[in-house]
Amino acid sequence: MKITTFDPIILTNNFDQVVSLFEALGFEKKHAPVTDTGKRDVRSFRMKHPEGYHVDVADIPDIERDKTYIRMNVDNFDEAYDIFMAHGFTNTRGDGTIDSKSAKAATLVSPSGFTLALVQ
């Protein structure tokens, strides 16, 4: 399994303000997917800094407070998923995943409480 991306993703109800902040820091919008989570369509921006750093910002209007996850893209979802499960992570959807035309994803929570968005 190869990790292809590893960066923060910010879930926020202040989407435009957070995007504006990162633009002021030199980040540029590079990708703007809309993901059907089964509950709603979530718009987001993948942003890149000229020095190579990335941050993703997702618009979640009904979230009470901003949350930061780690986003990890991999070339083999099932292999990575099994590794995380073997280390005590839980899937917020039971065993379910979000499957779109371009990605397979799950939100995983570690035994200590940090959250990871696993994506292929």
Side-chain angles (χ1 to χ4, degrees):
M1 175 208 55
K2 179 180 175 186
I3 298 170
T4 57
T5 301
F6 193 88
D7 56 65
I9 180 168
I10 299 169
L11 311 179
T12 183
N13 63 8
N14 295 304
F15 185 73
D16 294 329
Q17 292 172 346
V18 173
V19 168
S20 178
L21 166 65
F22 282 96
E23 286 176 325
L25 294 168
F27 286 79
E28 297 178 5
K29 299 171 194 165
K30 293 295 183 182
H31 184 57
V34 175
T35 304
D36 178 0
T37 66
K39 294 180 182 178
R40 69 178 75 78
D41 286 343
V42 174
R43 71 180 174 134
S44 62
F45 285 129
R46 177 152 178 76
M47 302 181 76
K48 184 177 181 180
H49 190 272
E51 298 295 321
Y53 306 110
H54 291 90
V55 65
D56 296 352
V57 183
D59 186 13
I60 313 291
D62 59 348
I63 199 169
E64 288 184 35
R65 297 182 59 187
D66 291 357
K67 294 182 180 179
T68 304
Y69 291 4
I70 298 168
R71 174 183 165 158
M72 179 188 286
N73 284 46
V74 295
D75 68 348
N76 186 322
F77 181 92
D78 294 331
E79 183 180 357
Y81 186 88
D82 289 346
I83 291 169
F84 285 110
M85 293 299 109
H87 283 86
F89 280 67
T90 56
N91 181 339
T92 61
R93 296 175 171 269
D95 286 325
T97 59
I98 297 171
D99 296 296
S100 70
K101 293 177 185 175
S102 63
K104 180 177 182 178
T107 301
L108 308 178
V109 181
S110 76
S112 64
F114 75 84
T115 306
L116 181 103
L118 180 64
V119 182
Q120 176 180 320

